[in-house]
Coordinates of all heavy atoms in Angstrom, one line a residue:
G1 N 58.6 79.1 61.9 CA 58.8 78.1 62.9 C 58.5 78.5 64.3 O 58.9 77.9 65.3
G2 N 57.6 79.5 64.4 CA 57.2 80.0 65.7 C 58.2 81.1 66.3 O 57.9 81.7 67.3
A3 N 59.2 81.4 65.6 CA 60.2 82.5 66.0 C 59.6 83.9 65.8 O 60.2 84.8 66.4 CB 61.5 82.3 65.3
A4 N 58.6 84.0 65.0 CA 57.9 85.3 64.8 C 56.4 85.1 64.8 O 56.0 83.9 64.6 CB 58.4 85.9 63.5
P5 N 55.6 86.1 65.0 CA 54.1 85.9 65.0 C 53.6 85.5 63.7 O 54.3 85.7 62.6 CB 53.6 87.3 65.4 CG 54.8 88.0 66.0 CD 56.0 87.5 65.4
H6 N 52.4 84.9 63.7 CA 51.7 84.6 62.4 C 50.3 85.2 62.5 O 49.7 85.1 63.5 CB 51.6 83.1 62.3 CG 51.2 82.6 60.9 ND1 50.0 82.9 60.4 CD2 51.9 82.0 59.9 CE1 49.9 82.4 59.1 NE2 51.1 81.8 58.9
G7 N 49.9 85.8 61.4 CA 48.5 86.4 61.4 C 47.4 85.4 61.4 O 46.3 85.8 61.7
G8 N 47.7 84.1 61.1 CA 46.6 83.1 61.2 C 46.1 82.6 59.8 O 45.5 81.6 59.8
G9 N 46.3 83.4 58.8 CA 45.8 83.0 57.5 C 46.9 82.1 56.7 O 48.0 82.4 56.7
A10 N 46.4 81.0 56.1 CA 47.2 80.1 55.3 C 47.5 80.8 54.0 O 46.9 81.7 53.6 CB 46.6 78.8 55.2
F11 N 48.5 80.2 53.3 CA 48.9 80.8 52.0 C 48.4 79.9 50.8 O 47.9 80.4 49.8 CB 50.5 80.8 51.9 CG 51.1 81.7 53.0 CD1 52.5 81.4 53.3 CD2 50.5 82.7 53.6 CE1 53.1 82.2 54.3 CE2 51.1 83.4 54.6 CZ 52.4 83.2 54.9
S12 N 48.6 78.6 50.9 CA 48.4 77.7 49.8 C 46.9 77.7 49.3 O 46.0 77.8 50.2 CB 48.8 76.3 50.1 OG 50.2 76.2 50.2
G13 N 46.7 77.6 48.0 CA 45.4 77.6 47.5 C 44.8 79.0 47.2 O 43.7 79.1 46.7
K14 N 45.6 80.0 47.5 CA 45.0 81.4 47.4 C 45.8 82.2 46.3 O 47.0 82.2 46.3 CB 45.1 82.1 48.7 CG 44.3 81.5 49.8 CD 44.5 82.2 51.1 CE 43.7 81.5 52.2 NZ 43.9 82.2 53.6
D15 N 45.0 82.8 45.4 CA 45.6 83.7 44.4 C 46.1 85.0 45.1 O 45.8 85.2 46.3 CB 44.6 84.0 43.3 CG 43.6 85.0 43.8 OD1 43.9 86.3 43.9 OD2 42.5 84.6 44.1
P16 N 47.0 85.7 44.5 CA 47.7 86.9 45.2 C 46.8 88.1 45.5 O 47.3 89.0 46.1 CB 48.8 87.2 44.3 CG 48.4 86.7 42.9 CD 47.6 85.5 43.2
T17 N 45.5 88.1 45.1 CA 44.6 89.1 45.6 C 44.3 88.9 47.1 O 43.9 89.9 47.8 CB 43.3 89.2 44.8 OG1 42.5 88.0 45.0 CG2 43.5 89.4 43.3
K18 N 44.5 87.7 47.6 CA 44.3 87.4 49.0 C 45.5 87.9 49.7 O 46.6 87.4 49.6 CB 44.1 85.9 49.2 CG 42.7 85.4 48.9 CD 42.4 85.3 47.5 CE 41.1 84.6 47.2 NZ 40.7 84.7 45.8
V19 N 45.3 88.9 50.6 CA 46.5 89.5 51.3 C 47.0 88.6 52.3 O 48.2 88.8 52.8 CB 46.1 90.9 51.9 CG1 46.0 91.9 50.9 CG2 44.8 90.8 52.7
D20 N 46.3 87.5 52.7 CA 46.9 86.5 53.6 C 48.2 86.0 53.0 O 49.2 85.8 53.7 CB 46.0 85.3 53.7 CG 44.9 85.4 54.7 OD1 45.0 86.3 55.6 OD2 43.9 84.6 54.7
R21 N 48.2 85.9 51.7 CA 49.4 85.5 51.0 C 50.3 86.6 50.5 O 51.5 86.7 50.9 CB 49.0 84.6 49.8 CG 50.1 84.1 49.0 CD 49.7 83.0 48.0 NE 50.7 81.9 48.0 CZ 50.4 80.7 47.5 NH1 49.3 80.4 47.1 NH2 51.4 79.8 47.6
S22 N 49.8 87.5 49.7 CA 50.6 88.6 49.1 C 51.2 89.5 50.1 O 52.4 89.9 50.0 CB 49.8 89.3 48.1 OG 48.6 89.9 48.6
A23 N 50.4 89.9 51.2 CA 51.0 90.9 52.2 C 52.0 90.2 53.1 O 52.9 90.8 53.6 CB 49.8 91.5 53.0
A24 N 51.8 88.9 53.3 CA 52.8 88.1 54.1 C 54.1 88.1 53.3 O 55.2 88.2 53.9 CB 52.4 86.7 54.4
Y25 N 54.1 87.9 52.0 CA 55.2 88.0 51.2 C 55.9 89.4 51.2 O 57.1 89.5 51.2 CB 54.9 87.6 49.7 CG 54.5 86.1 49.5 CD1 54.0 85.7 48.3 CD2 54.7 85.2 50.5 CE1 53.6 84.4 48.1 CE2 54.3 83.9 50.4 CZ 53.8 83.4 49.1 OH 53.5 82.1 49.0
A26 N 55.0 90.4 51.1 CA 55.6 91.8 51.0 C 56.2 92.1 52.4 O 57.3 92.8 52.4 CB 54.4 92.7 50.7
S27 N 55.7 91.7 53.5 CA 56.3 92.0 54.8 C 57.6 91.3 55.0 O 58.5 91.9 55.5 CB 55.3 91.7 55.9 OG 54.8 90.4 55.9
R28 N 57.7 90.1 54.5 CA 59.0 89.4 54.5 C 60.0 90.1 53.6 O 61.2 90.3 54.0 CB 58.8 88.0 54.0 CG 60.1 87.2 53.6 CD 61.1 87.0 54.7 NE 62.2 86.2 54.2 CZ 63.3 85.9 54.9 NH1 63.4 86.3 56.1 NH2 64.3 85.2 54.3

């Protein structure tokens, strides 16, 4: 919700080889 930075890459529609998604999950 804007309380932390965002790298800019969306999540939806991407399989987990896309680090936009998987690395965002790992960092959380």
Side-chain angles (χ1 to χ4, degrees):
H6 194 293
F11 303 156
S12 290
K14 298 177 180 178
D15 74 77
T17 66
K18 280 73 171 174
V19 285
D20 276 344
R21 182 167 220 159
S22 57
Y25 291 169
S27 54
R28 162 67 177 175

